[in-house]
Amino acid sequence: MTVLEAYNSKLDAEALREKTLAEFAREAGDARAQSIHLMKASMLGDMLKALGRVQHNGMRPDALITLIESFSSEAEKQRRLGDYDESDRAEQKAITVQFALDALTEAERDGE
């Protein structure tokens, strides 16, 4: 299995977990949690697969880190503005991208 295949596999497994959590949230009547889990599952698809490929291939070696920093800054900005829902959403995005970065780092380490 190549590095990118291992990376994509980890993202697929996590996306499936997020979709399952979204279903549990829907069954519990928690629309907000359902929405966040679906957002994370979506991010773990094409978006983070493409960014991981770009980073791994050296086209933008800091692509995922830059995105984490951007979402973290947005979370802090929204918190200062008092929009805690948007702050939490941006923070969850940063956490999701961090998961992807960790998965890529692990796949690269194991692929050596």
Side-chain angles (χ1 to χ4, degrees):
M1 182 178 292
T2 69
V3 168
L4 289 177
E5 288 170 338
Y7 170 70
N8 289 341
S9 178
K10 288 174 195 262
L11 295 190
D12 287 342
E14 186 66 8
L16 181 59
R17 189 180 81 79
E18 289 294 343
K19 288 175 186 174
T20 300
L21 292 171
E23 182 60 26
F24 289 148
R26 186 192 65 75
E27 290 171 1
D30 189 344
R32 183 176 181 284
Q34 178 187 10
S35 174
I36 288 173
H37 289 299
L38 290 174
M39 171 191 73
K40 292 173 80 170
S42 176
M43 289 176 67
L44 290 159
D46 293 340
M47 178 186 134
L48 288 174
K49 286 178 181 179
L51 286 173
R53 184 178 62 250
V54 164
Q55 180 162 323
H56 175 69
N57 290 333
M59 293 182 279
R60 283 197 50 216
D62 61 347
L64 295 171
I65 293 169
T66 300
L67 194 55
I68 292 166
E69 291 170 352
S70 174
F71 286 137
S72 294
S73 291
E74 182 64 19
E76 182 56 35
K77 174 186 168 191
Q78 294 302 324
R79 194 173 3 266
R80 281 193 312 271
L81 294 173
D83 190 339
Y84 299 107
D85 182 60
E86 281 304 312
S87 175
D88 183 49
R89 284 185 172 280
E91 191 171 317
Q92 290 301 315
K93 289 176 184 178
I95 289 167
T96 304
V97 180
Q98 182 66 56
F99 174 86
L101 177 59
D102 293 346
L104 181 60
T105 301
E106 183 179 327
E108 288 173 338
R109 184 191 67 231
D110 292 348
E112 292 178 349

